[in-house]
């Protein structure tokens, strides 16, 4: 059960936009719209930021948006802020009633 | 608001067993599938197991299949993870999470299991 592939790190200056990719297969991201994104600050529990590809839970800033193309999902953070510096993980439902997480991406605000 | 409190973690020797618990509140527990997710020190998130809302179906990651058992007690709003034949590579923080509207919608603070 291999993990979804994310870049190890992405960085940007305050106010800029960054995009994190999450690459899976035709058995997970490519087959289902159950892609989610999580933010995790050091020593804290993950927090849901995007669900079902492009939906934001109540309370999550509209600077966060999601999309998907074929077997790859994307998280875009616009108007980057210092508090956005964290680890970000994607997840997807996978054929066989299982789930898979991404390898994680560290976002650095320069 | 949703609250999830994991407990039962600790230090255990390889080959031994441990049972984790998760006490849930703030949502209709009996109507929700529940999950366990773990995170090894300095590593990423790994899905471990899922139990359906009615407890009739369970699913496991290959890495724990045959060793871990997920269960629930709806009368107490509790989720469990029985972990047998523990290995050093099972050392992780274990989180429970519900599917309220979507999987892994809310997270507890986790409980640390150290196999050593």
């Amino acid at each position: 059960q291999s993990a979804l592939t994310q870049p190890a790190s992405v960085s940007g200056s305050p106010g800029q936009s960054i995009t994190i990719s999450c690459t899976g297969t035709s058995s997970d991201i490519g087959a289902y719209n159950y892609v989610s994104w999580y933010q995790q600050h050091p020593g804290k529990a993950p927090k849901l930021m995007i669900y079902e590809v492009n939906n934001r839970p109540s309370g999550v800033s509209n600077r966060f948006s999601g999309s998907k193309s074929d077997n790859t999902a994307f998280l875009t953070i616009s108007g980057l802020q210092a508090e956005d510096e964290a680890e970000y993980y994607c997840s997807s439902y996978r054929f066989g009633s299982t789930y898979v997480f991404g390898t994680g991406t560290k976002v650095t605000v320069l | 608001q949703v609250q999830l409190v994991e407990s039962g973690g600790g230090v255990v020797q390889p080959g031994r067993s441990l049972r984790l618990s998760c006490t849930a509140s703030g949502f209709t527990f009996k109507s929700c599938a529940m999950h366990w997710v773990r995170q090894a020190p300095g590593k990423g998130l790994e899905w471990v197991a899922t139990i359906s809302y009615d407890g009739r179906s369970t699913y496991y990651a290959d890495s724990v299949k045959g060793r871990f058992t997920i269960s629930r007690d709806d009368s107490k709003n509790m989720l469990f993870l029985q972990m047998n034949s523990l290995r050093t590579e099972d050392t992780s923080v274990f989180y429970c999470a519900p599917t309220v509207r979507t999987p892994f919608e809310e997270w507890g603070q986790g409980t640390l299991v150290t196999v050593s």
Side-chain angles (χ1 to χ4, degrees):
Chain A
Q1 291 172 334
S2 53
L4 305 173
T5 301
Q6 299 180 231
S9 63
V10 172
S11 62
S13 299
Q16 286 187 329
S17 293
I18 61 169
T19 297
I20 304 168
S21 62
C22 170
T23 301
T25 69
S26 57
S27 295
D28 39 64
I29 293 177
Y32 307 99
N33 286 327
Y34 292 112
V35 178
S36 298
W37 289 90
Y38 309 86
Q39 177 192 66
Q40 187 178 34
H41 287 108
K44 300 296 187 181
K47 174 187 176 184
L48 179 68
M49 304 301 285
I50 294 288
Y51 67 97
E52 292 174 11
V53 178
N54 56 12
N55 292 281
R56 273 187 314 275
S58 175
V60 172
S61 171
N62 59 10
R63 297 186 298 104
F64 292 83
S65 61
S67 62
K68 188 185 88 165
S69 177
D70 296 328
N71 297 338
T72 300
F74 303 92
L75 174 71
T76 298
I77 309 175
S78 58
L80 200 61
Q81 299 180 1
E83 68 234 39
D84 299 332
E85 187 162 294
E87 193 83 16
Y88 289 82
Y89 295 93
C90 58
S91 76
S92 174
Y93 178 83
R94 176 174 274 178
F95 178 79
S97 298
T98 62
Y99 294 86
V100 60
F101 284 90
T103 50
T105 298
K106 179 170 177 54
V107 168
T108 301
V109 181
L110 301 172
Chain B
Q1 69 280 21
V2 171
Q3 190 168 12
L4 300 153
V5 180
E6 301 92 342
S7 60
V11 180
V12 62
Q13 294 178 329
R16 303 299 289 264
S17 299
L18 204 61
R19 189 194 195 204
L20 304 184
S21 300
C22 168
T23 302
S25 61
F27 63 101
T28 308
F29 181 81
K30 64 181 180 180
S31 298
C32 296
M34 293 294 297
H35 316 271
W36 286 100
V37 177
R38 68 182 178 181
Q39 186 170 34
K43 302 297 184 181
L45 301 171
E46 180 187 14
W47 169 75
V48 173
T50 293
I51 186 167
S52 61
Y53 75 98
D54 58 4
R56 293 182 180 180
S57 300
T58 57
Y59 308 94
Y60 299 93
D62 288 345
S63 57
V64 306
K65 199 173 295 182
R67 300 189 300 124
F68 291 10
T69 302
I70 188 172
S71 61
R72 62 191 298 157
D73 183 342
D74 290 349
S75 69
K76 297 179 180 178
N77 281 10
M78 293 188 71
L79 177 72
F80 305 100
L81 187 68
Q82 176 67 42
M83 304 186 295
N84 300 331
S85 303
L86 282 162
R87 306 167 179 168
T88 56
E89 56 263 36
D90 293 318
T91 294
S92 296
V93 173
F94 284 76
Y95 298 98
C96 67
T99 295
V100 180
R101 177 179 41 189
T102 195
F104 320 117
E105 184 166 349
E106 301 283 352
W107 299 67
Q109 284 307 301
T111 187
L112 175 62
V113 172
T114 302
V115 184
S116 175

